[in-house]
Amino acid sequence: MDFQKLCVSNQHSDQCDIASKTTDTTDQQWEQMCLPLEEPFTTPVPVPLESQTRPSKYGLKVTYGTDGWDTPVIWLVPDFIPGTGVGTLVSASMGLKTFVAVHLAGCITSGTPFLGMPARNGLVFYVAAEGASGLPRRLKGFELQNNADCGQKFVLITQPVSMVNDDERSALRQIIKQESESQNEAPVLLVIDTFSQCSAGIDENSAGQVAQYINYATQLANEFSMAVLIVHHTSKSGGYRGSSALLANMDFALESNRVKPESPIKTVVSVAKSKEGATGINAEFHLSPVELGLNDNAGRPVSTLVVTDAKLIEKDAAPHATRDIDMSIIQGQFTERPTDSIPRDQLLASLSAKFPEIAPSTIDKRVSQACSALVEMGILLEEKIGRNKAYRLKHSDSNIGDSDDNDVDDPLDF
């Protein structure tokens, strides 16, 4: 089989390496070119017990009893991302999710702590399906801010890659194997940014097709003992866009909720789902502009936003963080209709859909608190539709937009 060529680059090179495999190269020959994952890399990979990998006579792998119960839990980032598995980072458009993903990648590739915790060090493969030219600047901003060096461990793929396309998926697999062998480093994270741009060939509202997509991503995660992080958008109602199978089939889910007003620029990242740990863990990320030391063609300094402060939110700060998250979700309802009034009942429904496990009475109270705060800040106006409350943006030309992160959420990137 001939594999489609993918363009791969890193922030220290203007050249592209083309990874391809021709029909003259057998699978056995290719395997011999790659280092085994267990020994050369600095991060140990747990090896399953023999019974866990023993196929039955029917060709299926089986285990018995409690085999494997004591296999160590390996984290990419403790409590946030497991060492192996598929998850998602979700936010509304302009929700700063790409900045959080780049910050995570920078920490992993440079050995910088993430939220004060050690991250598993290794290669990061970043599929930038849109706005790829801005990613190296954002990573450079991370290096300047943290006095760090990511080297060539950040491998940028500058075009969409669909998990359901056999040729593209196979080419991605060979790129990961080739870079792992040539750099003598373990691949620990694959970022797909975004799901929408890297899902050509499927209907994102089809449960079966979405499940197949996640299954292919899981195969890659298991093969390389790495995490796969899929960057995704919320729907207009604030929930996950597309089929519910997306969240249902994930091993973990992170949500980024941008906090307004933006002084400073910040977002709250929450663990919404975790098969290996607890949910409800919140972290706050503050972002600031950093000049990169060069000018654009108009002679103006080129800057980018970078995470300048990140911290876990303690339990006694959770109510404030919860209100900030609710305010961000409610503001997101005006993305597609900035000049319209939205009934309070609709805001209740959107928050209920976001947090189905929370009692309706609690949701009602949270909507009241968030809307009152937004009115006090001069962001929303309260009005009446009949006997019911409704809300409208105070200024119809609000800076809320509906574009992908890589295009517009960093006005300082040229």
Side-chain angles (χ1 to χ4, degrees):
M1 171 185 291
D2 288 324
F3 291 95
Q4 178 177 332
K5 295 180 179 179
L6 297 180
C7 182
V8 186
S9 66
N10 60 63
Q11 77 279 12
H12 292 290
S13 174
D14 293 326
Q15 298 178 340
C16 292
D17 298 323
I18 301 299
S20 62
K21 178 183 172 184
T22 67
T23 52
D24 295 331
T25 305
T26 66
D27 289 337
Q28 182 177 4
Q29 289 172 328
W30 188 266
E31 293 290 339
Q32 291 172 350
M33 295 171 60
C34 301
L35 297 177
L37 290 178
E38 295 88 347
E39 296 180 0
F41 305 132
T42 56
T43 305
V45 177
V47 179
L49 298 176
E50 180 181 354
S51 61
Q52 290 181 282
T53 60
R54 185 167 63 236
S56 71
K57 65 180 180 179
Y58 304 106
L60 300 178
K61 296 177 180 179
V62 299
T63 64
Y64 298 95
T66 59
D67 283 356
W69 72 271
D70 57 349
T71 301
V73 176
I74 305 296
W75 291 95
L76 180 65
V77 176
D79 299 327
F80 277 80
I81 303 178
T84 303
V86 178
T88 185
L89 172 60
V90 180
S91 83
S93 293
M94 300 177 66
L96 302 173
K97 52 188 174 292
T98 295
F99 290 99
V100 173
V102 171
H103 179 75
L104 170 65
C107 289
I108 291 171
T109 53
S110 67
T112 303
F114 182 85
L115 290 168
M117 299 178 289
R120 185 182 175 197
N121 189 255
L123 298 180
V124 172
F125 294 84
Y126 202 112
V127 179
E130 53 192 30
S133 61
L135 265 294
R137 289 196 290 272
R138 296 181 185 187
L139 192 67
K140 184 62 177 179
F142 169 88
E143 291 184 331
L144 293 173
Q145 173 65 28
N146 295 278
N147 191 26
D149 183 6
C150 299
Q152 297 187 28
K153 293 182 179 181
F154 182 91
V155 183
L156 180 62
I157 299 169
T158 58
Q159 65 187 79
V161 178
S162 175
M163 288 294 105
V164 298
N165 183 295
D166 291 342
D167 288 341
E168 293 181 11
R169 186 177 68 256
S170 297
L172 175 61
R173 176 178 176 269
Q174 300 304 337
I175 287 171
I176 295 173
K177 294 181 72 173
Q178 174 182 302
E179 290 293 330
S180 301
E181 187 273 340
S182 63
Q183 296 197 42
N184 194 25
E185 288 281 354
V188 296
L189 177 65
L190 168 64
V191 180
I192 298 175
D193 189 356
T194 60
F195 174 73
S196 175
Q197 295 295 322
C198 291
S199 58
I202 71 166
D203 176 5
E204 67 176 24
N205 294 305
S206 167
Q209 293 181 32
V210 169
Q212 183 64 55
Y213 186 101
I214 303 303
N215 181 56
Y216 282 132
T218 301
Q219 290 177 18
L220 273 179
N222 291 338
E223 177 180 357
F224 294 105
S225 295
M226 67 179 179
V228 177
L229 181 65
I230 300 173
V231 179
H232 191 39
H233 293 93
T234 57
S235 64
K236 296 177 183 178
S237 65
Y240 286 33
R241 198 174 76 184
S243 169
S244 59
L246 184 69
L247 179 61
N249 286 276
M250 293 293 182
D251 298 304
F252 64 95
L254 306 176
E255 297 180 357
S256 176
N257 291 282
R258 190 170 184 169
V259 180
K260 307 262 182 101
E262 297 186 332
S263 181
I265 300 172
K266 62 182 178 179
T267 186
V268 174
V269 176
S270 305
V271 179
K273 179 180 180 179
S274 177
K275 290 186 177 180
E276 296 289 355
T279 59
I281 301 173
N282 298 321
E284 190 173 80
F285 293 80
H286 290 209
L287 295 96
S288 302
V290 170
E291 291 189 3
L292 301 180
L294 69 157
N295 296 331
D296 65 9
N297 61 351
R300 299 169 298 181
V302 176
S303 302
T304 186
L305 287 176
V306 299
V307 174
T308 52
D309 185 38
K311 59 186 177 181
L312 291 171
I313 298 175
E314 302 295 336
K315 290 183 179 179
D316 58 1
H320 178 71
T322 298
R323 192 194 69 171
D324 285 346
I325 292 172
D326 294 344
M327 289 166 58
S328 179
I329 294 172
I330 288 172
Q331 279 190 270
Q333 303 304 302
F334 294 88
T335 298
E336 288 292 327
R337 42 194 300 186
T339 62
D340 295 344
S341 293
I342 298 182
R344 184 178 184 278
D345 289 346
Q346 184 174 326
L347 300 179
L348 280 172
S350 65
L351 214 65
S352 295
K354 190 77 171 180
F355 306 106
E357 73 282 0
I358 297 178
S361 59
T362 302
I363 291 292
D364 187 87
K365 182 182 297 185
R366 285 172 55 169
V367 168
S368 294
Q369 293 173 345
C371 288
S372 295
L374 289 168
V375 170
E376 290 176 6
M377 292 176 182
I379 297 173
L380 294 184
L381 291 174
E382 184 177 299
E383 55 187 38
K384 291 277 190 177
I385 297 181
R387 300 178 60 182
N388 300 316
K389 288 183 179 180
Y391 296 89
R392 179 193 300 273
L393 282 179
K394 187 172 183 179
H395 301 291
S396 61
D397 59 347
S398 168
N399 61 355
I400 296 177
D402 187 31
S403 300
D404 291 334
D405 274 344
N406 286 328
D407 293 332
V408 299
D409 67 355
D410 186 2
L412 300 167
D413 252 351
F414 295 94

